[in-house]
Amino acid sequence: MTRLFEPHIHMYSRTTDDYEAMSKAGIEVIVQPSFWLGSPRTSVGTFEDYWEHMITFETKRARDFGIEHFVCISVNPKEAMERPLALDAMEAMKKYVDRERVVAIGELGYNLINDLEEEVFVKQMDIAAEKNMLMTVHLPHNNKPEGMRRIELILNSERGRRYNRNKILIDHNVEETIEKTLKFGMWAGLSVYPVSKLSPERAINIIKKYGTERIMIHSAADWGPSDPLSVPLVAREMRKASFSTNEIERVTFYNAYEFFKQSPRFTWKP
């Protein structure tokens, strides 16, 4: 059976039935980046309760189904424009980044692609750099090439020298962004998500063109029409397309493991 690692899923928005199905499908490990709550937050306390919930309750809920669970902490791009709330939340966030099971700062990045979002993005990148932590970066749902262009400007700036590109995972790549992500020495997430992201066929075509190094499949499953079984689905479709077991496991397990094991708080070993 192909080994499976889900490196980007928002289980806060999923049911216990999803854990049951993921466990039966053979998913061994998941990483849950910080997300928005589906409606606007009203206080810093809502961030703190959410982060605490992920670190404690979701870790236990996953373990009840034989799944290891790790967390990324951030002020998500969809919440980055509120002032002073987003900046205050970033200060509160510093109490959580050293907690057990917190393996990265993320999701960071862009939603609408503007300067307010970029301010929060870069400040959180600086926290990650100061702590020598991993980052998971969110390419925007719309106009991903423009989001990638602005990330490129950050990385090429004087400030960008402080960011270790081997510790950056760019998520939600598509055909127009994957080459730059890999060229810059970063890791690439392919989100297999039924409506606004990639189909299994598009993801597999990207893998055929660019190979299996530094690329990982995930579902990004959340409040929207999404599938928490996207990783095993892609593994099956790759088998049908005559990929080798080694090639399949690179993108559905081992690349994610190699990326996250750079964190000392990613304590699980296969």
Side-chain angles (χ1 to χ4, degrees), residues 206-220:
I206 288 172
I207 293 166
K208 284 179 179 176
K209 183 172 181 178
Y210 293 97
T212 60
E213 293 303 309
R214 303 174 81 85
I215 290 175
M216 61 191 83
I217 297 291
H218 61 76
S219 69

Side-chain angles (χ1 to χ4, degrees), residues 17-56:
D17 290 346
D18 292 324
Y19 274 118
E20 174 79 5
M22 291 162 68
S23 178
K24 287 179 178 177
I27 293 173
E28 300 177 56
V29 195
I30 63 176
V31 175
Q32 179 164 195
S34 292
F35 192 47
W36 69 302
L37 295 186
S39 58
R41 295 183 192 266
T42 57
S43 69
V44 170
T46 61
F47 284 94
E48 294 183 306
D49 290 343
Y50 169 68
W51 294 324
E52 189 69 36
H53 172 97
M54 287 208 298
I55 292 168
T56 57

Side-chain angles (χ1 to χ4, degrees), residues 122-179:
V122 172
K123 283 179 181 292
Q124 291 184 101
M125 291 180 82
D126 288 345
I127 293 171
E130 288 161 15
K131 295 278 188 180
N132 196 26
M133 292 181 71
L134 303 176
M135 308 178 210
T136 60
V137 176
H138 170 95
L139 283 174
H141 297 294
N142 299 308
N143 201 358
K144 292 180 191 293
E146 174 62 13
M148 193 73 227
R149 186 189 72 82
R150 289 184 70 146
I151 291 169
E152 185 178 359
L153 290 174
I154 293 169
L155 292 174
N156 284 335
S157 69
E158 183 69 25
R159 179 186 213 125
R161 294 181 182 178
R162 72 185 72 178
Y163 308 133
N164 181 347
R165 297 179 187 183
N166 191 49
K167 292 193 170 185
I168 301 174
L169 167 61
I170 304 289
D171 272 331
H172 316 316
N173 279 277
V174 291
E175 294 84 351
E176 295 82 9
T177 65
I178 183 71
E179 188 169 352

Side-chain angles (χ1 to χ4, degrees), residues 44 47 51 75 79-94 115-121 123-124 127:
V44 170
F47 284 94
W51 294 324
V75 176
E79 301 164 329
M81 287 178 59
E82 291 298 317
R83 296 292 184 276
L85 181 58
L87 300 181
D88 292 344
M90 273 194 297
E91 280 303 308
M93 184 183 95
K94 293 175 182 177
D115 291 342
L116 284 175
E117 291 174 357
E118 187 162 300
E119 179 188 18
V120 171
F121 179 16
K123 283 179 181 292
Q124 291 184 101
I127 293 171

